[in-house]
Amino acid sequence: MSTHSITIAGKTYGSRLLVGSGKYKDFAENAAAAEASGAEIVTVAIRRVNLGQDAGAPNLLDFIRPERYTLLPNTAGCYTAEDAIRTCRLARELLDGHRLVKLEVLGDPKTLYPDITATLEATKVLVKEGFEVMVYCTDDPIQCKRLEELGCVAVMPLAAPIGSGLGIQNRYNILSIVENAKVPIIVDAGVGTASDAAIAMELGCDGVLMNTAIAEAKNPLLMASAMRHAIIAGREAFLAGRMPRRRYASASSPLDGVIG
Amino acid sequence: MPLLTVNGRPEPLPAPATLAGLIEALQLQGQRLAVEHNGQIVPRSLWSETRLAEQDHIEIVKAIGGG
């Protein structure tokens, strides 16, 4: 088992942290945060060009360069399997045959919770079409297993709603999901600060994907660096194996030879 | 004026009336884009030979920031 690298769909990445590219002040800040995070996979969204406004405007991909990062196009904003599948096909064309995608089919704009029925439906089609599907889903051990069985290359349960920063809400579910998985489990959504990322890794997750926790920090570059360290620390703590919890104290200094 | 629907908006038929002509008329040449013509993705290599007709629906997308 590798300490700090992660293998997804046969490709090995040096960092277990995956980052988004939304909500930044500008592309330069986004690029600097991605660099500081150490991430090698960066998510992007697929959207209509703004006619009449995009001519000559700076482009995200000039800053988050496909030669430098593995781009992970997402289906954010899709509420049906059909729209998500269409978005993935467009992403594949846009990125010259790139097959790795982040599938998310949302159920409602207030919670941005995944619509699992539609997610399962879209997964079947995308896997059949040769996509390597990293799937955003609920922290439900049964549905996570189903998605793995359908051929997803990584299963990415939420820790809390997208952009909420509430942290890992159901550690025992995440633990069950990790214990039952044969593909990488990546916590996607809900992380608010470095300790949340460390907890996910201490639970045995293979990685964490985050956007808002870095982009909305007062100092995104410093938070990106904090997240890089949290992922490393959490991973090492998981591999080291934590001490048991005890209700009462257990002295660290010998009891023999105390004066008096 | 003969019209296309491009990203949900009416646009005149470009000259030449091809996808490549449309990309140029919209000043989008050189950008990394993906294009759908009446629901079918058209690879970049076929843009110059893809003829457009009145009432065609075109979607032009690009990558933007997202989580």
Side-chain angles (χ1 to χ4, degrees), chain B residues 29-42:
Chain B
Q29 61 274 38
Q31 294 200 35
R32 198 183 268 264
L33 306 168
V35 177
E36 255 186 21
H37 177 218
N38 295 333
Q40 296 295 314
I41 292 175
V42 183

Side-chain angles (χ1 to χ4, degrees), chain B:
Chain B
M1 185 170 24
L3 290 178
L4 304 167
T5 303
V6 182
N7 288 0
R9 284 183 18 173
E11 286 287 334
L13 258 180
T18 63
L19 270 183
L22 178 67
I23 297 295
E24 197 155 323
L26 296 171
Q27 295 181 283
L28 294 171
Q29 61 274 38
Q31 294 200 35
R32 198 183 268 264
L33 306 168
V35 177
E36 255 186 21
H37 177 218
N38 295 333
Q40 296 295 314
I41 292 175
V42 183
R44 203 166 307 147
S45 57
L46 299 179
W47 287 356
S48 55
E49 59 195 72
T50 303
R51 307 284 309 169
L52 301 181
E54 204 173 339
Q55 295 183 349
D56 279 0
H57 278 75
I58 318 288
E59 290 284 341
I60 308 173
V61 301
K62 63 171 187 170
I64 66 154

Side-chain angles (χ1 to χ4, degrees), chain A:
Chain A
M1 197 189 308
S2 148
T3 305
H4 295 301
S5 64
I6 180 172
T7 301
I8 302 166
K11 189 173 171 195
T12 301
Y13 302 90
S15 171
R16 290 174 177 270
L17 174 58
L18 292 74
V19 297
S21 58
K23 300 184 178 175
Y24 284 96
K25 186 181 71 189
D26 52 37
F27 291 145
E29 183 183 71
N30 188 346
E35 192 68 42
S37 76
E40 295 180 7
I41 299 178
V42 181
T43 63
V44 298
I46 305 298
R47 290 289 181 274
R48 284 173 163 174
V49 299
N50 295 314
L51 299 180
Q53 292 168 38
D54 277 3
N59 190 313
L60 173 70
L61 301 188
D62 295 333
F63 291 82
I64 305 290
R65 288 179 299 108
E67 306 80 43
R68 166 77 175 78
Y69 295 101
T70 292
L71 297 183
L72 181 59
N74 69 26
T75 63
C78 293
Y79 286 85
T80 65
E82 191 188 6
D83 283 351
I85 293 163
R86 191 174 165 203
T87 301
C88 288
R89 289 172 180 156
L90 283 165
R92 180 164 59 183
E93 167 61 22
L94 184 74
L95 298 173
D96 303 321
H98 177 97
R99 295 192 300 154
L100 193 68
V101 292
K102 170 180 159 177
L103 172 65
E104 53 185 297
V105 188
L106 304 172
D108 129 346
K110 186 172 177 184
T111 62
L112 297 179
Y113 243 58
D115 178 332
I116 289 296
T117 312
T119 302
L120 291 162
E121 198 184 315
T123 299
K124 284 181 202 160
V125 175
L126 291 169
V127 168
K128 204 171 166 189
E129 291 187 11
F131 284 96
E132 294 165 343
V133 180
M134 299 176 70
V135 63
Y136 165 68
C137 56
T138 46
D139 58 352
D140 171 340
I142 306 303
Q143 297 308 328
C144 286
K145 196 66 193 170
R146 295 279 178 274
L147 288 161
E148 176 189 314
E149 288 164 355
L150 286 177
C152 291
V153 299
V155 174
M156 307 202 291
L158 53 80
I162 293 172
S164 69
L166 289 172
I168 318 286
Q169 290 301 298
N170 199 336
R171 298 181 191 197
Y172 294 99
N173 272 21
I174 297 290
L175 203 53
S176 301
I177 292 163
V178 167
E179 283 171 357
N180 292 328
K182 292 195 181 66
V183 295
I185 299 298
I186 296 171
V187 157
D188 178 6
V191 164
T193 188
S195 53
D196 298 333
I199 288 168
M201 297 308 291
E202 287 171 14
L203 290 170
C205 289
D206 297 281
V208 178
L209 196 167
M210 65 181 74
N211 189 151
T212 310
I214 298 174
E216 280 191 2
K218 287 199 180 73
N219 183 336
L221 267 59
L222 197 54
M223 186 57 89
S225 169
M227 291 301 186
R228 178 165 66 90
H229 290 108
I231 295 286
I232 291 170
R235 177 66 180 168
E236 289 185 353
F238 169 71
L239 292 175
R242 62 154 297 146
M243 60 162 283
R245 288 179 173 85
R246 299 185 182 93
R247 186 163 169 207
Y248 294 107
S250 166
S252 299
S253 306
L255 298 177
D256 291 346
V258 176
I259 58 163

